[in-house]
Amino acid sequence: MPQKQFVPGGILPLVLVLAVAAGAQNTRTVGLMANDSAKAFPGYTLFAPKHYTSTYLINNEGRIVHQWTGSKYEPGQSVYLLENGNLLRTCMTKGTLSTGGGEGGRIEEYDWDNKLVWQLDFSTNTYMQHHDIRPLPNGNIIMLAVEKKTYAEVIAAGFNPNKLQPEVQQKGMMLPDAVYEIKPTLPSGGTIVWEWHVWDHLIQDFDSSKSNFGVVKDHPELIDAAGDQKNLPMFWNHMNSIDYNPALDQIALSVRGNSEVWIIDHSTTTAEAQGHTGGKSGKGGDLLYRYGNPLCYRMGTASDQKLYQQHDAEWVRPDCPGAGNITVFNNGLGRNYSTIDEFIPPMDAQGNYTRVAGAAFGPAA
């Protein structure tokens, strides 16, 4: 996934590019390249190479400013440099559950001198942290996690068994996503102080005997158990990034399995996050906004799809151009090319996301 560039006051997305000049003699072909170094942002780049246990901080010349070598784990897909200079990193623990990519299960914090100051293990046979985390202003951590649902629970929730990939029945489970907020307890462990679950906000039109039966296109705030009408894998939602907007007290989720970005209300209590009322939005844990693939809530056609199995959805920080917009690395699977996209979520003066009745969430471009 795209790495992060650290600057005072914020973490910005940055993509590292390896340039190769085929057949060019006396031309540097590896390392950190820039077409116009004068335009490069004057910061540092933090990254953790997959399948290595070290984490590196480099400058714009590609020189190592600092490195952390204390962990014995490969990265669990994300690393952050905290304001106090400590490193916050996720770890791939190779636990009982497997998402087929993006495994985590552990979070570590190291000081500048490679001393482990905090650790949290979050991997059992029923749940596992994966892909991404985000430090909050209050010192807590929000993180993505999968939770195990048995095949019987999947059918009881109204999923159409004919729309499930064979692995769901073969392995007897599905792994939908959840979000947890952890209050760290030094030097080890933490307390769950807030949580949100995809499973609490399902709608389906397959089994009328279930309580979540309804007309999908009339409820874009809910998550269709049929997804985008393709056969669903075990790792169904496949979220791969999480971001937080302190001004709105909202969370943005990159949902690769749907080719969508979702926004939810963090101002709710855990009880309110399970339902459809409460919080600043008054909508509980329902989706406040979604963008990228309106087929997932039965709107529009395939030509209206904007995102293609994207990564790294983030709000542009207040001190940057385009503050409040959302940037995303649009992988382009099925479209055959990748882009870095920036879009403006439609919002009224009261801070509510707007949508024309009967139409998909904008913007159109």
Side-chain angles (χ1 to χ4, degrees):
M1 67 187 298
Q3 310 301 329
K4 314 293 179 183
Q5 186 179 49
F6 173 81
V7 294
I11 304 170
L12 301 175
L14 180 77
V15 179
L16 295 181
V17 177
L18 180 64
V20 178
Q25 295 183 355
N26 302 320
T27 300
R28 187 160 62 100
T29 59
V30 297
L32 193 64
M33 307 296 188
N35 290 328
D36 189 344
S37 58
K39 293 181 180 180
F41 199 92
Y44 299 96
T45 300
L46 180 73
F47 66 101
K50 284 178 71 76
H51 309 308
Y52 286 79
T53 57
S54 296
T55 304
Y56 301 94
L57 186 69
I58 62 173
N59 64 17
N60 281 354
E61 296 178 342
R63 301 179 186 277
I64 295 176
V65 176
H66 196 69
Q67 61 182 307
W68 290 263
T69 58
S71 182
K72 65 179 182 180
Y73 296 96
E74 296 178 16
Q77 316 311 316
S78 61
V79 289
Y80 292 91
L81 187 62
L82 303 179
E83 293 292 338
N84 63 2
N86 286 4
L87 173 73
L88 188 68
R89 78 187 303 271
T90 58
C91 305
M92 182 183 292
T93 59
K94 301 179 182 179
T96 303
L97 298 180
S98 174
T99 60
E103 283 85 351
R106 178 179 170 90
I107 304 173
E108 296 177 334
E109 182 180 344
Y110 289 87
D111 67 14
W112 191 259
D113 298 317
N114 267 310
K115 178 183 177 181
L116 181 65
V117 297
W118 178 64
Q119 59 185 342
L120 171 74
D121 288 303
F122 205 85
S123 178
T124 70
N125 61 358
T126 58
Y127 59 83
M128 179 188 68
Q129 176 272 328
H130 69 91
H131 276 92
D132 197 14
I133 60 177
R134 176 67 62 166
L136 298 182
N138 62 6
N140 293 349
I141 307 291
I142 51 174
M143 64 182 182
L144 300 177
V146 289
E147 53 181 354
K148 178 181 177 180
K149 296 295 181 182
T150 66
Y151 184 74
E153 290 176 308
V154 171
I155 300 305
F159 284 80
N160 182 345
N162 296 320
K163 292 288 187 179
L164 303 175
Q165 291 187 10
E167 64 174 348
V168 178
Q169 185 171 12
Q170 291 168 359
K171 296 183 178 181
M173 62 179 172
M174 181 178 269
L175 299 175
D177 269 296
V179 177
Y180 291 92
E181 180 179 349
I182 303 293
K183 181 179 181 180
T185 302
L186 300 180
S188 179
T191 303
I192 298 173
V193 296
W194 184 84
E195 56 191 275
W196 176 91
H197 301 260
V198 164
W199 212 250
D200 293 328
H201 302 279
L202 299 177
I203 187 171
Q204 52 85 27
D205 57 5
F206 169 70
D207 189 342
S208 60
S209 69
K210 303 298 189 291
S211 61
N212 60 5
F213 182 80
V215 180
V216 173
K217 68 178 182 178
D218 291 343
H219 295 279
E221 77 280 4
L222 300 177
I223 300 156
D224 185 7
D228 61 357
Q229 308 303 304
K230 300 182 179 70
N231 288 349
L232 305 182
M234 184 178 67
F235 185 24
W236 169 36
N237 310 121
H238 198 145
M239 293 184 183
N240 55 32
S241 78
I242 186 169
D243 193 29
Y244 178 70
N245 188 316
L248 300 174
D249 201 4
Q250 294 175 4
I251 292 171
L253 303 165
S254 172
V255 190
R256 179 178 176 176
N258 284 43
S259 292
E260 287 188 292
V261 173
W262 295 348
I263 292 180
I264 59 174
D265 190 348
H266 176 258
S267 72
T268 58
T269 64
T270 291
E272 290 171 336
Q274 293 176 330
H276 313 291
T277 60
K280 293 180 179 178
S281 67
K283 297 179 180 180
D286 288 345
L287 304 186
L288 304 181
Y289 175 69
R290 60 197 304 176
Y291 183 71
N293 188 11
L295 285 179
C296 287
Y297 50 103
R298 313 288 179 87
M299 291 288 179
T301 66
S303 63
D304 297 310
Q305 185 172 347
K306 305 299 182 186
L307 301 179
Y308 298 83
Q309 300 192 37
Q310 75 294 327
H311 282 75
D312 201 32
E314 299 192 26
W315 274 285
V316 178
R317 299 307 190 246
D319 56 347
C320 297
N325 297 349
I326 292 177
T327 58
V328 63
F329 185 83
N330 197 354
N331 287 67
L333 273 74
R335 188 187 61 176
N336 300 320
Y337 63 94
S338 299
T339 54
I340 300 173
D341 296 348
E342 178 178 351
F343 62 91
I344 303 173
M347 184 177 289
D348 63 22
Q350 289 71 46
N352 300 309
Y353 295 96
T354 60
R355 180 178 70 93
V356 176
F361 278 103

